Amino acid sequence: MNESAVLAIVLSLASAAGYALAAVGQSRLASANAGGSILTLLARPQWWWAVGLNAGGALMHVAALHYGPLTLVQPLGALTLVAALPIGAYYERRRVTRREWRGAAWTLVGLTGLIAVTGPATPGDALSLRESFAVAAASALLIAVTARSGAVRGGLGHATASGVASGVASALTQTVTASLARELPGGPLAWWQTTLIAALVATFAVGGLLLSQAAFRGGLAAPLAVVNLANPAAAAVIGVALLGERFHGGPLGWLTAAAAAAVAARGVLMLTGAQPTTKATAVVPSPRTPEAERIPEPALAPEPASTPA
């Protein structure tokens, strides 16, 4: 193994650790700020630590892709879920259950299978200006629909919307990078066009972060698994539809992708059912009940007075 591959592995593991710590921090903030608004979060330093960890994880992920191939970096990035489980359990002062480990393993295997059959696009390929606007509009509609159903599905709708937003932000970032490097097909964009797409990147990135914060109100493991699945899935759909990416193996590749998706879905279902629940404690009334709290006994009706003959 050469030095570039070793550096890519180290950066990928560091990126996964950063994402995991950020997810645990967001989950704890979500449970402590269940009824609060986004303004309450902005006033808490823990929120900005989570934002910084997410940004650091993203930068290390990009750096890992510079030194290693996609087939090596992406599966290692999926270890975010495996790292987040013990960290979250540590802060909750409990042990990771077997069901959680099995669910994480199924999700990781499915996600790795999906990444393995998706081939990368030709270097330099990126969305054009018209394609960027079309993807942004369609994705915004999809995000609105999935986020609206998030509250009734344990946060999984918000998690799906967050993953889609992050995947779209990655695709649009590739367009901005190609335009700045003057490698965009069809020639570089004008400065105002590049600025507009960069604003879309910021909008989707921030939206994905806020949606993931809302998703973590339903727990940590299952929403994080859905985010990790929806992100590369959205990027793969964009790549296959617009960037010339393809599934390896022809029909067998499509079957492999379908099987991997089923495996990942089983893992998410296992993680959903493995959420720790709080047992209700029965309240036993004290035998020494104060006089003011005792239930008065019903008064007996007075006997009718006898009438003299």
Side-chain angles (χ1 to χ4, degrees):
M1 184 179 295
N2 55 22
E3 295 181 0
S4 297
V6 172
L7 186 57
I9 292 174
V10 172
L11 289 171
S12 298
L13 294 177
S15 173
Y19 280 134
L21 289 172
V24 172
Q26 287 183 270
S27 177
R28 291 175 59 82
L29 283 174
S31 60
N33 193 48
S37 62
I38 184 60
L39 295 178
T40 308
L41 287 175
L42 295 178
R44 305 192 65 169
Q46 295 88 343
W47 163 256
W48 294 108
W49 275 107
V51 172
L53 287 170
N54 273 310
L59 290 176
M60 285 183 285
H61 180 74
V62 172
L65 287 174
H66 177 73
Y67 290 103
L70 183 69
T71 54
L72 174 65
V73 174
Q74 286 288 57
L76 292 175
L79 293 176
T80 298
L81 177 61
V82 179
L85 283 178
I87 296 174
Y90 171 78
Y91 281 107
E92 294 173 5
R93 297 182 179 180
R94 64 178 182 87
R95 293 183 177 181
V96 182
T97 63
R98 292 183 178 181
R99 185 179 179 89
E100 286 178 317
W101 281 126
R102 290 198 301 266
W106 280 78
T107 306
L108 185 62
V109 170
L111 180 57
T112 305
L114 285 173
I115 295 172
V117 297
T118 305
T122 304
D125 281 357
L127 298 174
S128 64
L129 181 64
R130 181 177 299 179
E131 291 172 341
S132 299
F133 289 151
V135 167
S139 301
L141 180 61
L142 178 61
I143 290 170
V145 173
T146 53
R148 189 169 184 177
S149 64
V152 297
R153 296 182 182 180
L156 297 187
H158 287 133
T160 304
S162 173
V164 171
S166 300
V168 173
S170 299
L172 295 178
T173 300
Q174 189 177 7
T175 298
V176 174
T177 304
S179 179
L180 293 176
R182 298 185 178 275
E183 296 177 354
L184 191 67
L189 300 175
W191 68 267
W192 63 269
Q193 295 173 330
T194 305
T195 303
L196 186 58
I197 297 180
L200 289 176
V201 171
T203 301
F204 279 102
V206 174
L209 185 63
L210 296 178
L211 286 167
S212 66
Q213 181 67 52
F216 288 136
R217 293 176 182 174
L220 173 65
L224 182 59
V226 172
V227 170
N228 285 342
L229 285 170
N231 187 336
V237 169
I238 295 173
V240 171
L242 300 174
L243 296 180
E245 296 185 4
R246 58 184 177 83
F247 285 102
H248 293 303
L252 182 60
W254 287 94
L255 291 176
T256 304
V263 169
R266 175 179 173 80
V268 172
L269 290 177
M270 294 179 68
L271 290 172
T272 303
Q275 295 295 336
T277 56
T278 303
K279 297 181 180 179
T281 305
V283 180
V284 180
S286 174
R288 299 179 180 179
T289 307
E291 294 292 335
E293 296 181 1
R294 289 183 179 177
I295 301 176
E297 298 180 358
L300 299 178
E303 297 182 356
S306 58
T307 305

